[in-house]
Amino acid sequence: AGGGSGGLALEFSKLLPNIDIHVLELPLVAKIAARNIERRGKSGDIAVLQGDLAKKKCATNTYDAVILRSVIQVVGPKAAARIIKNTVNGVKAGGEIFVIGRILDNTRLYPKEAVAANVMFLNVYKEGMAYTIGEYESWFEVEGVVLKTQCQMAGGFTLLQFVKN
């Protein structure tokens, strides 16, 4: 979800050629992703879905794993909670949800790149902002999903791994 132009899905298809990959994106961006995936000859391997997780669960399937990449920080807290609820509803029991984005520690002071990006989020998006690890934990906890691991990545990005009970 938040598959952008499809780049991450294309890389996963190289690394894991025997898995089913679906990209979910808002309609305008989904068209770009579909075009990029088709140009690379992978339209038979990667499905592109159009939808808005802030409004509803967007797939009839349930998945073993979902990646929310740079999705939550462009919406406000209420939409973030709806996106997480709809994502969790699309994941099998025991499945995993990976959140990748500019995520702040609970002091909101680190990583410094995420702090700087937060200024941009606050100015560009109506309600967007870089949320804290604790905020993500509380949204997922309401849905019965727990944080398993967290990892700092380059450029102020953080990876959070959640598991659905």
Side-chain angles (χ1 to χ4, degrees):
S5 64
L8 187 61
L10 287 162
E11 291 304 312
F12 269 111
S13 74
K14 290 180 199 172
L15 294 170
L16 303 161
N18 296 323
I19 66 168
D20 290 330
I21 300 174
H22 296 175
V23 173
L24 174 67
E25 197 39 275
L26 297 170
L28 288 175
V29 182
K31 291 175 186 174
I32 295 167
R35 197 168 45 241
N36 286 338
I37 290 165
E38 185 178 342
R39 282 184 191 148
R40 286 164 182 81
K42 292 289 193 171
S43 54
D45 300 327
I46 302 171
V48 178
L49 308 172
Q50 296 181 15
D52 185 346
L53 281 169
K55 295 180 179 172
K56 64 177 182 169
K57 179 183 163 194
C58 296
T60 55
N61 298 354
T62 53
Y63 296 93
D64 296 316
V66 172
I67 300 170
L68 290 171
R69 183 174 173 267
S70 299
V71 173
I72 302 299
Q73 66 255 10
V74 302
V75 299
K78 289 180 182 175
R82 286 192 308 270
I83 288 168
I84 288 169
K85 178 183 180 95
N86 289 330
T87 299
V88 169
N89 286 336
V91 175
K92 295 176 183 176
E96 298 171 305
I97 300 168
F98 298 89
V99 178
I100 302 170
R102 300 288 176 97
I103 301 170
L104 297 166
D105 74 349
N106 291 331
T107 69
R108 294 192 182 277
L109 299 174
Y110 182 83
K112 65 183 179 189
E113 298 93 343
V115 173
N118 195 30
V119 173
M120 183 267 303
F121 296 147
L122 291 167
N123 285 291
V124 172
Y125 301 106
K126 185 178 178 180
E127 294 187 82
M129 67 186 313
Y131 296 104
T132 66
I133 294 168
E135 288 170 312
Y136 280 94
E137 282 183 290
S138 65
W139 286 319
F140 277 100
E141 213 170 68
V142 167
E143 303 304 326
V145 178
V146 295
L147 179 63
K148 183 176 178 183
T149 60
Q150 65 187 58
C151 174
Q152 282 304 129
M153 300 167 64
F157 286 87
T158 300
L159 169 70
L160 303 177
Q161 177 189 18
F162 292 90
V163 177
K164 182 177 180 178
N165 295 324

